[in-house]
Amino acid sequence: MHSRQYGPDLTPPWKKQSPAPEVSAERDLVVEEAATGFCGAVVRCEKTAEGFTVTLEDRFGKHRVFPLVPRGFLLEGRTVTLVRPAGPAPARAPGRTASGSVAVPGARARVARESRIYVEGRHDAELVERVWGDDLRIEGVVVEYLEGVDDLPAIVADFAPGPGRRLGVLVDHLLPGTKEHRIAAQVTGDAVLVVGHPYIDIWQAVKPASVGIPGWPAVPRGEEWKEGVCRRLGWPVNTPAAWKRILSTVDSYKDLEPELLGKVEELIDFVTVPE
């Protein structure tokens, strides 16, 4: 028989925490994260490789991501457990795609053009699809990835660009004097446009504030960059999971750096120009 003062786990009743009330993490709800004291409005809730998270934005526009854990937040000074909102996520503002262009309600995807856009890797392709996917389907533009640019001259020759068959290529870390810059110069022509951004990897094209970090850390040369980023951010050294975490924070062009936005728009214009 158990004592009337103790439960089966022998924890005194006065030491047990009563369950905190559950509150739906609706957009713009202002809460304080209990452990850090960070106070902000809910921007989004999402599922990541580490579990469900909530992104808060403080009054200075800074974003931070926190796990949805029991008794993890304060609402008007009261401890609460934030939970995912019921039903579908709030829709984007009507009339605009994720890229910021005017949406075309009910528009059907166009038959794919012969022209193409090539990007370096899978992550680049997934990011372009997330932001420009609606636009590309309407325009009939297919995006493919290369897994690097070392073989770009042979790939371009095999593609056989020409009138009505243009090729646009997005290259990471395209800076004067680099290997990428020399390769780009070999293939650029009337029907081929190679453009690039200055970042070591497409990860850096996502604004740190959107990811909930103060900035992309510096990684010494010789160390694998993505793994080095994970270590310095305190994330598990699992680059596929890290990329899913990063990509999940991108809702629209506003989450990307201008240096990438302009280049992708330039490529889309190039491969869709009327002959």
Side-chain angles (χ1 to χ4, degrees), residues 154-218:
I155 292 170
V156 171
D158 184 63
F159 181 81
R165 186 175 171 83
R166 291 187 166 202
L167 180 61
V169 184
L170 178 68
V171 177
D172 295 342
H173 204 229
L174 187 62
L175 299 173
T178 61
K179 172 191 70 175
E180 291 81 2
H181 193 269
R182 291 191 294 272
I183 292 174
Q186 295 177 42
V187 300
T188 299
D190 291 341
V192 179
L193 175 65
V194 181
V195 299
H197 55 74
Y199 306 113
I200 295 174
D201 189 89
I202 198 70
W203 288 18
Q204 285 185 304
V206 181
K207 291 180 179 179
S210 296
V211 182
I213 59 176
W216 291 105

Side-chain angles (χ1 to χ4, degrees), residues 65-141:
V65 181
F66 299 101
L68 285 179
V69 296
R71 304 179 64 85
F73 298 86
L74 301 177
L75 176 61
E76 298 179 350
R78 181 182 60 163
T79 300
V80 298
T81 296
L82 286 187
V83 296
R84 297 176 69 207
R92 295 189 186 99
R96 295 285 172 179
T97 67
S99 70
S101 62
V102 177
V104 183
R108 300 179 62 182
R110 175 174 172 167
V111 175
R113 297 172 183 262
E114 290 191 51
S115 298
R116 292 285 187 273
I117 292 177
Y118 285 173
V119 297
E120 278 208 51
R122 181 185 296 274
H123 293 179
D124 307 66
E126 290 175 344
L127 187 62
V128 169
E129 164 62 27
R130 191 169 183 93
V131 176
W132 288 274
D134 292 340
D135 303 348
L136 293 170
R137 278 181 284 278
I138 290 175
E139 294 291 349
V141 177

